[in-house]
Amino acid sequence: MSFVEPGAPADLARDVRAGLESTFGRTATVVGRAPGRVNLIGEHTDYNAGLCLPLALPHATYAAVAPREDGRVRIASRQELEPWEGSREDLASASGWAAYVAGVLWALREAGHDVPGVDVFVDGTVPLGAGLSSSAALECSVAVAVADLLGIETTPDARRALATACMRAESEVAGAPTGGMDQTVSLLAEAGAALLIDFEDHETRPVPLPLHDAGLALLVTDTRVSHALVDGGYASRRQDCEDAVDRLGVRSLRHADLAAVEALDDERVRRRARHVVTEIERVRATAAALDAGDWQEVGRQFLASHVSMRDDFEISCPELDTVVQTAVEAGAVGARMTGGGFGGSAISLVPVERLEAVVRAVDTAFVAAGYRAPAHLRAQASAAAAVL
Ligand code: ADP
Ligand code: MG
């Protein structure tokens, strides 16, 4: 069994410093580290003032940063060929991958911080475009590093403000609408726990996730079907949700009741809203099941969530459906697609002694269907972003 490994933080910190040296001839003043995430349950609920339950992965992005006197900004990545260079005034017009980094610097300036010119080099082990939020990991690694340069303390409130800046970077500069789950968990997660996030009041609560004690593994399978959130699928689902809100005359789908949703006459809008309303309930049920140590119930919620995303929200794809079906047949307690959809990853809750069988069954099913080989990783609830 081979898994995508998170790497040792000390080694990755050394590598990212070396990258800044060799690319720009600069010595890093600070290195920020921010984790990718996987969502246990609660998909497309963030922008509907709902609930979600993600955890931070051990896989993370590292940003080495050195300030400059002249106000210029240079950005490079081990994972991308094209560096970016411009002035602080150009940040909002950055495009491509560097927009995620430039966007954070822009948003911190917008928030009133006196961000200096900087050289930034990034590197890491979060798979890109796999639904594991490499984009938020990238933003948050830069945000914690620059916050440290600026002497901003990382209290919970300051972390919430950084999450807001990272969200603005992704929505307004990178051009990918995002509801805030990814940035929130990357900046506020606690090791050993998933993070229950309530998008009505932005309260968060750690929900302990003692997978090891329960003899379970959380398997993440990247289908390597590239999802493109900048494309229309995500935006059109948001639009359908807004339509439902208008038709129902509620503040948000958080406040819609299922009977009213079932009475909507537009068939598509009805299904979209039904997903959101039932998914919020499933997040509650999953958090309660975890509190009670009832993993079978967690598994049932996963499966119900997958069916809702496949049939009502229509954001799954054949590869994701194959992972879920195969994993369950091979002994998983439950499985579901995770993340924004249209590709990306699925998660399976698997008794440790069945892990190898599940991985093998999924790989075999992909070969049989003629799909590209998937990549697997093991998720452990890890700590939030920090400077090293
Ligand atoms: P996800 O967040 O699920 O990985 P997104 O499409 O939201 O997928 O974000 C992926 C994009 O983020 C990449 O295509 C790239 O533009 C950018 N990105 C993420 N991590 C890095 C990195 N380490 N170096 C350069 N760009 C990155
Ligand atoms: Mg993303």
Side-chain angles (χ1 to χ4, degrees), residues 56-87:
L57 291 171
H59 304 68
T61 303
Y62 296 72
V65 179
R68 297 169 59 96
E69 299 290 334
D70 61 359
R72 302 286 297 169
V73 174
R74 296 189 294 181
I75 305 168
S77 164
R78 183 100 58 205
Q79 280 74 45
E80 296 280 351
L81 289 175
E82 281 297 310
W84 184 88
E85 180 169 356
S87 75

Side-chain angles (χ1 to χ4, degrees), residues 25-152:
R26 300 291 313 281
T27 301
T29 305
V30 57
V31 173
R33 174 192 184 277
R37 63 97 186 95
V38 66
N39 191 18
L40 274 186
I41 195 159
E43 234 62 79
H44 289 260
T45 51
D46 53 2
Y47 57 83
N48 287 300
L51 302 167
C52 62
L53 190 60
L55 53 123
L57 291 171
H59 304 68
T61 303
Y62 296 72
V65 179
R68 297 169 59 96
E69 299 290 334
D70 61 359
R72 302 286 297 169
V73 174
R74 296 189 294 181
I75 305 168
S77 164
R78 183 100 58 205
Q79 280 74 45
E80 296 280 351
L81 289 175
E82 281 297 310
W84 184 88
E85 180 169 356
S87 75
R88 281 182 295 181
E89 285 64 45
D90 304 331
L91 290 168
S93 59
S95 63
W97 74 269
Y100 294 93
V101 177
V104 172
L105 304 175
W106 168 84
L108 290 173
R109 279 170 64 90
E110 287 280 304
H113 298 294
D114 185 17
V115 179
V118 281
D119 291 323
V120 182
F121 187 85
V122 297
D123 192 2
T125 58
V126 185
L128 270 59
L132 303 176
S133 209
S134 68
S135 57
L138 174 56
E139 292 147 16
C140 297
S141 67
V142 173
V144 291
V146 173
D148 189 73
L149 280 184
L150 294 171
I152 300 172

Side-chain angles (χ1 to χ4, degrees), residues 6 11-12 47 79 96 98 151 164-165 171 191 205 208 229 253 293 319 340 355:
D11 295 346
L12 287 154
Y47 57 83
Q79 280 74 45
T164 303
S171 304
R205 169 170 84 83
L229 295 187
L253 286 181
E319 291 84 352
L355 188 58

Side-chain angles (χ1 to χ4, degrees), residues 54 136 140 159-160 163-164 167 179-189 195 197 199 202-204 384:
C140 297
R159 284 176 174 268
R160 272 182 250 278
T164 303
M167 264 176 76
M181 162 172 63
D182 307 349
Q183 296 80 3
T184 303
V185 64
S186 189
L187 285 160
L188 288 156
L195 191 69
I197 308 174
F199 283 91
H202 293 268
E203 286 297 310
T204 57

Side-chain angles (χ1 to χ4, degrees), residues 22 142 156 163 178 236 248 251 267 315 328 373 376:
S22 64
V142 173
T178 147
S236 82
L248 292 164
R251 191 145 43 96
E267 193 262 343
I315 53 173
V328 171
H376 304 277

